[in-house]
Amino acid sequence: MKTDIEIAQEAEMFHIKDVAKNYDISEDDLELYGKYKAKLSNEFCKQAEKNPDGKLVLMTAINPTPAGEGKTTTSIGLADALHKLGKKTLLALREPSLGPCFGIKGGAAGGGYAQVVPMEDLNLHFTGDFHAITSANNLLAAMLDNHIQQGNALNIDTRQIVWKRCLDMNDRVLRNIVVGLGAKADGVVREDHFVITVASEIMAILCLATDMDDLKERLGKIIVAYNYDGEPVTAKDLQAVGAMAALLKDAIKPNLVQTLEHTGAFVHGGPFANIAHGCNSVKATKTAMKLADITITEAGFGADLGAEKFMDIKCRMAGIKPDAIVLVATVRALKYNGGVDKANLAEENLDALKKGICNLEKHIENLQKFGVPVVVTLNSFVTDTEAEYQFIKNFCEERGCEFALSEVWAKGGEGGLELAKKVLKTLDEKESNYKPLYPDEMPLKDKIKTIATEIYGASDVTYTAAANRTLSKLTDLGFGNLPVCIAKTQYSLSDDAKKLGRPTDFTINVRDVYVNAGAGFVVVLTGNVMTMPGLPKVPAANNIDVDSDGKITGLF
């Protein structure tokens, strides 16, 4: 089998204007970035709002394991399969972050014969959206420090600065730094921090903003610090909004690319789901729904993170709802949850499967709480056995879910036809009665406990003294009605990455809380999840290269 990058580089791509024609997008509606990438004009997106909505299908997964699940691959393969069945289908996906590309996870353009191309561009600089977000974030940081240096008219308390710089790279040494060292003219000495760009509030804002006016309003609400009276100081107070918006004027426009089988894909925005809200942009999703019969979108990591945030944050703010949910699992991952070592996952082991399937069971239960019909799909591996398939199929159907095998990695859209037919059957026969997990008016602590107990399965929630103080302060400042975005390890339903399967009798530990006032949610940090990841001992960057002809190798 060829590598992902070999398959992508050998693919015949259509000119992006020819892909666009299939969705009634003219060349004049595109802003071209070469032959295979384009942004949609603001005028076109505005015009498309008049169209009726198509169906929306959310792709999510069980908790990720080293065995691999293939959520993005399945999203792409399903879109290609629906396209084969004559349905006008669009993908609405997130842009990859450079951190995982050079770290341990690799890129996020799918895999095998279910990929979005151009794969190298998508995984690297793409259309420059992440660079724009990073620049806007750091401009605000620079203006904040400059204001303090130039007399501090806003009486900013340098011990209560909450705005962090960002970089789209895994770089652990930037988590905690000291700035302003040197001469008096070099600024005020203080502790500072970096987050990875995908955890920046500006990334969340870009992905939730509906247009430039909404973007600017949200940017203005960003809280950068508190003054000596404990009152919030915002980006608007620093007069930074206009310049930040200027940096983001092109980044707010959705990007159009294609799959290997020339299905259209809007790839736009990319917040991580373990430390942010994990969904692509509202603008891309809503535009796709206006242009296609069916839009396939995805939420990051497992359903306990990405899908919960999709339902409780994105859908709530955007006024959208999924008509069906596809939940991805693998036989290998379920056996891993059942205690099998990674080296032995190729062997049939029904006992381990029976033990580990509780993870899938919990995600099914969670998704059904939102009132949306669920289809379970197994991303197949050659080592899977018929007995294992049959056990999982029966298990899912007993819980009211359609079930299908997915072979899209090896066969592309052809390998997703069974899944596509089950999705169409679900859309035709089952009604979505979407509802969020909690109401806006519920107190912040109750929202956190609701997610922890109902979605994660925790018995209780504990708080550090600092987290308790912040929650009280945010409620007093009027942020109590916002949804909560819980930052938690993706590897477990609990906040302990080592607790696999379906853990019980555990406590979620909240160590810190802060408000993303512009994005419109309260961030809750649990366990030891980091907002600036580090590289592994042997990073993927070690194997990436480019030859004398400019051909990239080693990217996956």
Side-chain angles (χ1 to χ4, degrees):
M1 181 72 177
K2 295 173 181 175
T3 64
D4 290 349
I5 194 169
E6 287 171 340
I7 293 169
Q9 288 173 340
E10 292 173 6
E12 179 189 356
M13 289 184 280
F14 289 176
H15 196 292
I16 198 63
K17 66 182 182 183
D18 295 323
V19 176
K21 285 177 187 174
N22 295 327
Y23 305 96
D24 301 317
I25 306 170
S26 73
E27 189 172 355
D28 287 342
D29 298 321
L30 299 174
E31 298 175 6
L32 298 173
Y33 285 65
K35 293 188 289 185
Y36 308 116
K37 300 174 290 183
K39 281 187 171 290
L40 299 182
S41 70
N42 287 326
E43 295 78 14
F44 176 79
C45 293
K46 187 73 177 174
Q47 180 184 337
E49 291 175 7
K50 302 171 186 174
N51 300 342
D53 286 337
K55 299 287 189 180
L56 180 63
V57 176
L58 173 67
M59 185 73 64
T60 187
I62 63 171
N63 293 99
T65 69
E69 286 67 53
K71 176 160 48 65
T72 303
T73 301
T74 307
S75 296
I76 297 164
L78 172 59
D80 284 337
L82 288 166
H83 188 74
K84 280 181 175 293
L85 292 174
K87 298 294 182 180
K88 185 187 285 188
T89 308
L90 272 168
L91 283 156
L93 305 175
R94 293 174 299 158
E95 299 177 46
S97 163
L98 292 177
C101 285
F102 296 126
I104 195 168
K105 185 174 179 286
Y113 288 92
Q115 294 189 60
V116 172
V117 286
M119 181 261 217
E120 308 96 303
D121 293 9
L122 187 69
N123 279 315
L124 298 177
H125 302 290
F126 199 27
T127 58
D129 294 345
F130 282 22
H131 299 305
I133 291 164
T134 301
S135 297
N137 183 103
N138 294 340
L139 170 64
L140 180 56
M143 292 182 72
L144 167 63
D145 281 313
N146 183 63
H147 179 89
I148 296 167
Q149 173 73 8
Q150 302 294 349
N152 198 7
L154 293 170
N155 289 315
I156 293 169
D157 184 349
T158 57
R159 299 162 301 177
Q160 294 193 78
I161 292 173
V162 294
W163 189 249
K164 298 176 175 64
R165 288 169 161 82
C166 77
L167 182 73
D168 190 38
M169 196 64 65
N170 292 359
D171 195 349
R172 60 169 54 84
V173 302
L174 294 178
R175 290 172 186 161
N176 305 290
I177 61 172
V178 177
V179 297
L181 293 174
K184 184 178 180 180
D186 296 326
V188 175
V189 177
R190 67 177 182 86
E191 182 180 351
D192 201 0
H193 311 271
F194 270 77
V195 298
I196 192 166
T197 297
V198 288
S200 164
E201 183 176 358
I202 295 180
M203 174 65 80
I205 286 172
L206 186 89
C207 288
L208 292 169
T210 53
D211 55 29
M212 180 55 73
D213 290 340
D214 186 30
L215 178 72
K216 290 172 71 174
E217 183 178 347
R218 289 173 178 273
L219 290 174
K221 292 178 181 177
I222 293 173
I223 295 174
V224 297
Y226 294 88
N227 64 21
Y228 287 108
D229 294 324
E231 299 164 336
V233 178
T234 66
K236 185 177 181 180
D237 294 330
L238 289 171
Q239 300 178 49
V241 174
M244 293 164 68
L247 286 170
L248 297 169
K249 77 174 184 68
D250 291 322
I252 195 175
K253 301 169 185 174
N255 306 298
L256 175 65
V257 285
Q258 63 191 291
T259 70
L260 292 174
E261 299 181 17
H262 317 301
T263 303
F266 290 163
V267 183
H268 192 220
F272 281 171
N274 60 340
I275 52 181
H277 73 287
C279 308
N280 73 301
S281 79
V282 165
K283 191 164 184 176
T285 302
K286 293 185 81 167
T287 303
M289 291 173 67
K290 297 294 185 181
L291 302 176
D293 299 328
I294 300 172
T295 295
I296 310 295
T297 193
E298 68 173 26
F301 291 124
D304 56 319
L305 288 169
E308 184 275 317
K309 293 169 183 178
F310 179 89
M311 301 291 191
D312 284 323
I313 297 176
K314 181 171 179 175
C315 288
R316 189 191 304 259
M317 292 189 188
I320 59 176
K321 67 175 183 66
D323 295 284
I325 301 172
V326 177
L327 177 59
V328 183
T330 65
V331 171
R332 292 163 58 87
L334 293 175
K335 288 189 289 192
Y336 185 85
N337 270 284
V340 176
D341 186 82
K342 185 180 177 182
N344 300 320
L345 291 173
E347 301 169 11
E348 182 177 283
N349 191 331
L350 288 173
D351 289 337
L353 190 58
K354 291 172 184 176
K355 184 179 177 184
I357 204 166
C358 58
N359 187 267
L360 174 63
E361 179 182 43
K362 177 58 175 163
H363 287 297
I364 291 172
E365 291 174 10
N366 287 346
L367 294 172
Q368 290 174 336
K369 288 177 182 178
F370 292 100
V372 183
V374 178
V375 178
V376 176
T377 187
L378 278 184
N379 189 14
S380 66
F381 284 72
V382 293
T383 55
D384 301 341
T385 69
E386 188 59 38
E388 291 170 329
Y389 285 153
Q390 198 59 47
F391 172 75
I392 298 169
K393 180 177 186 290
N394 293 341
F395 185 92
C396 295
E397 290 177 347
E398 286 168 5
R399 284 152 184 81
C401 301
E402 294 289 343
F403 174 87
L405 282 180
S406 170
E407 299 178 281
V408 299
W409 183 82
K411 300 179 181 178
E414 189 70 29
L417 290 175
E418 180 186 346
L419 172 60
K421 290 171 183 175
K422 289 296 177 70
V423 168
L424 291 175
K425 179 183 177 184
T426 299
L427 292 173
D428 288 341
E429 298 179 2
K430 296 184 180 180
E431 187 176 352
S432 175
N433 297 301
Y434 158 76
K435 60 183 183 301
L437 193 65
Y438 53 81
D440 291 338
E441 61 273 13
M442 180 182 280
L444 291 173
K445 273 196 169 182
D446 290 347
K447 290 172 183 170
I448 295 167
K449 188 167 185 178
T450 297
I451 295 172
T453 56
E454 300 236 356
I455 301 299
Y456 306 156
S459 53
D460 202 3
V461 182
T462 60
Y463 300 86
T464 63
N468 268 321
R469 286 194 300 270
T470 304
L471 284 166
S472 296
K473 182 176 182 177
L474 294 180
T475 300
D476 292 342
L477 288 170
F479 297 118
N481 283 347
L482 297 183
V484 295
C485 179
I486 299 183
K488 179 185 74 68
T489 178
Q490 64 268 34
Y491 298 114
S492 172
L493 286 159
S494 74
D495 58 1
D496 180 351
K498 296 179 181 177
K499 291 182 177 177
L500 303 179
R502 183 177 183 167
T504 56
D505 298 322
F506 64 91
T507 300
I508 291 289
N509 302 292
V510 176
R511 60 181 172 86
D512 201 4
V513 177
Y514 59 89
V515 63
N516 279 353
F521 53 72
V522 172
V523 180
V524 179
L525 300 177
T526 71
N528 60 359
V529 67
M530 294 291 180
T531 54
M532 170 53 85
L535 290 171
K537 187 172 183 178
V538 183
N542 287 14
N543 300 312
I544 295 173
D545 201 357
V546 57
D547 66 18
S548 57
D549 295 322
K551 184 177 180 180
I552 293 173
T553 57
L555 193 62
F556 67 95

